[in-house]
Amino acid sequence: MAIYEGRWDCNYCGHTGNKGPSVHCTQCGGPRPKNVQFYLPQDARAVSNESALEAANAGPDWVCSNCASSNKHWDKFCGSCGSPFRSMDGDAILAEKEYDGQAVPRSSHQVVQPVKETRRKGLSNVKRGGIFTIILTAIGTWLGTFNSPSQVEVMGFEWSRTVEIEAYKQVEEEAWSLPSEATLIKQFEAIHHYDKKFKGYETKRRTVREKAGTERYVCGKKDLGNGYFQDKYCTRPVYRERQETYKEKVYEKIPVYRAKYQYSIFKWVDAEPLKTEGKNHAPKWRNDPKLDNPKRFRIKNRSGIYYFDFKDHKGEMHRERVDYEFWERLRFGDTLPAIKSRFYGYFKELDWIKINGQVES
């Protein structure tokens, strides 16, 4: 899995092409931008240096909220001001981004949307080798399974509603029978179906594709969030081809004609739906004067989508989609039970067992 060294541009002096892992501009000494855009030049070569590979695999860098300096993933304290890493203080770990195919940024001015973007909650233990790293990872994973209760606060609402309607209108159709309420436009002969008459066999050859296995291939690049990029691999099937002969029955197609009718008829058909949306706690259905005429328009279905935003114990925002009955009972500032990691402290999910218990009581 090849690793490549990316680049970034300085916002202070305009110097371009700073090496991705560098946290300061080589021209003016300015810090790497807080929202840095790493890019991968077309001529970037794979990294082979062992220390560079170790740095690339260590994890994404983080930005100090106190002085806006960039730090390596293994730094527990900011190298510029000495502040400890604390996500609750606003210290931000850079995002890891995945790009498909050749759609990877080649300059800081090229805007490319990643197909996937992840942001870690905290720093991992790095700069350890061999079995020690495996043991630490296993312990860290195990500790992550322990939960403790928490609370979240409702901070906002969003909704959208759709009214599907039908209109009673005149349309033209064709069919093999004439409805009693339809007005005939014309009657004509058309092929209703084909009868088949067996004629014999014909020898043919065909190419048969058989699955011979699978292969891994480079299907994109991943921005590791620390100035390095990594090949992204996918798996696809591998096929082989062979020729074979076979006998195929030959039939003569004999058309069978019947009377067909073109006619006009009044019927209920789908019309443009009525949609409303808002970022408040006062949902409403869109009204339209045409619905006052039930002979011309009628409601087919009503549906809604409801979200609420909430703040966890660290002040980070989340969004949850719920049904209307639960959404309607919520109020701004309500607190709901939640689950957080006991040892790492990050928010995991809402505690629906307790929430449903509160609703039932």
Side-chain angles (χ1 to χ4, degrees):
M1 189 174 293
I3 301 288
Y4 307 87
E5 189 177 69
R7 294 289 187 269
W8 60 272
D9 296 343
C10 180
N11 290 346
Y12 295 93
C13 68
H15 179 62
T16 61
N18 287 293
K19 291 185 177 182
S22 300
V23 295
H24 293 92
C25 175
T26 57
Q27 186 77 17
C28 69
R32 193 166 64 188
K34 181 178 180 180
N35 297 316
V36 61
Q37 168 67 68
F38 292 119
Y39 59 91
L40 186 65
Q42 288 282 3
D43 58 353
R45 295 184 178 181
V47 174
S48 58
N49 180 275
E50 186 174 339
S51 61
L53 293 175
E54 184 179 11
N57 292 313
D61 294 346
W62 61 278
V63 179
C64 176
S65 60
N66 185 50
C67 66
S69 296
S70 294
N71 299 275
K72 295 302 180 182
H73 191 78
W74 55 76
D75 293 329
K76 304 302 182 184
F77 297 86
C78 177
S80 295
C81 69
S83 298
F85 173 83
R86 284 162 52 93
S87 59
M88 66 180 64
D89 292 337
D91 294 340
I93 299 177
L94 297 181
E96 298 168 86
K97 306 173 184 178
E98 292 187 16
Y99 301 92
D100 279 347
Q102 295 299 314
V104 57
R106 300 297 183 181
S107 73
S108 61
H109 305 295
Q110 184 181 6
V111 179
V112 180
Q113 294 297 326
V115 295
K116 182 180 179 182
E117 183 172 322
T118 57
R119 197 180 295 271
R120 304 191 191 188
K121 297 288 186 180
L123 303 180
S124 57
N125 291 318
V126 294
K127 286 288 188 179
R128 297 289 189 271
I131 190 66
F132 189 55
T133 300
I134 297 175
I135 293 174
L136 286 178
T137 301
I139 293 175
T141 303
W142 177 67
L143 291 176
T145 63
F146 289 87
N147 301 324
S148 62
S150 181
Q151 281 191 331
V152 299
E153 181 180 358
V154 177
M155 299 298 294
F157 303 92
E158 186 168 344
W159 56 272
S160 64
R161 282 181 166 180
T162 301
V163 180
E164 299 175 35
I165 62 175
E166 293 179 318
Y168 192 69
K169 58 191 301 185
Q170 189 176 34
V171 296
E172 290 189 5
E173 295 179 342
E174 290 184 1
W176 299 105
S177 60
L178 182 66
S180 58
E181 65 273 21
T183 300
L184 180 66
I185 298 176
K186 67 177 180 178
Q187 178 180 334
F188 55 96
E189 292 291 307
I191 298 176
H192 182 270
H193 66 277
Y194 289 89
D195 287 339
K196 295 195 301 181
K197 181 180 178 182
F198 180 66
K199 293 180 63 177
Y201 292 90
E202 182 179 349
T203 301
K204 292 187 174 181
R205 291 181 62 84
R206 62 188 172 195
T207 300
V208 180
R209 296 180 76 230
E210 298 175 331
K211 186 176 179 179
T214 59
E215 67 175 1
R216 295 177 74 240
Y217 69 100
V218 177
C219 58
K221 294 288 188 290
K222 182 177 181 180
D223 176 353
L224 299 178
N226 53 23
Y228 292 97
F229 285 77
Q230 181 183 64
D231 281 336
K232 174 185 174 183
Y233 281 88
C234 299
T235 302
R236 62 188 174 193
V238 177
Y239 295 92
R240 62 186 176 194
E241 296 182 350
R242 63 179 177 84
Q243 297 293 315
E244 69 176 18
T245 59
Y246 66 100
K247 296 286 187 180
E248 184 177 86
K249 292 182 177 180
V250 179
Y251 295 90
E252 179 183 359
K253 294 174 63 176
I254 302 175
V256 177
Y257 290 84
R258 288 186 183 176
K260 197 170 188 179
Y261 304 92
Q262 182 182 357
Y263 55 86
S264 63
I265 189 172
F266 281 91
K267 63 187 303 184
W268 291 102
V269 296
D270 290 337
E272 185 71 23
L274 307 176
K275 298 183 178 181
T276 50
E277 59 184 17
K279 294 184 178 181
N280 52 45
H281 204 235
K284 58 184 178 180
W285 301 104
R286 178 180 166 187
N287 292 319
D288 195 296
K290 59 188 176 186
L291 293 177
D292 295 334
N293 186 353
K295 294 183 178 180
R296 293 290 307 279
F297 297 93
R298 69 183 183 187
I299 295 176
K300 179 181 178 181
N301 184 48
R302 295 177 187 263
S303 61
I305 299 176
Y306 306 92
Y307 297 93
F308 74 96
D309 298 323
F310 59 89
K311 180 172 63 176
D312 66 19
H313 61 288
K314 288 188 173 183
E316 297 179 354
M317 296 299 297
H318 306 268
R319 169 168 292 191
E320 189 88 8
R321 178 178 173 178
V322 294
D323 59 45
Y324 174 71
E325 288 71 19
F326 179 80
W327 186 87
E328 194 276 333
R329 286 193 293 267
L330 292 174
R331 295 294 181 269
F332 185 88
D334 282 354
T335 57
L336 298 172
I339 299 172
K340 67 178 180 179
S341 171
R342 178 181 299 177
F343 292 98
Y344 302 124
Y346 60 83
F347 167 81
K348 282 192 170 183
E349 60 184 348
L350 296 173
D351 192 339
W352 285 108
I353 294 178
K354 290 184 179 180
I355 292 173
N356 292 332
Q358 291 177 353
V359 172
E360 291 174 0
S361 60

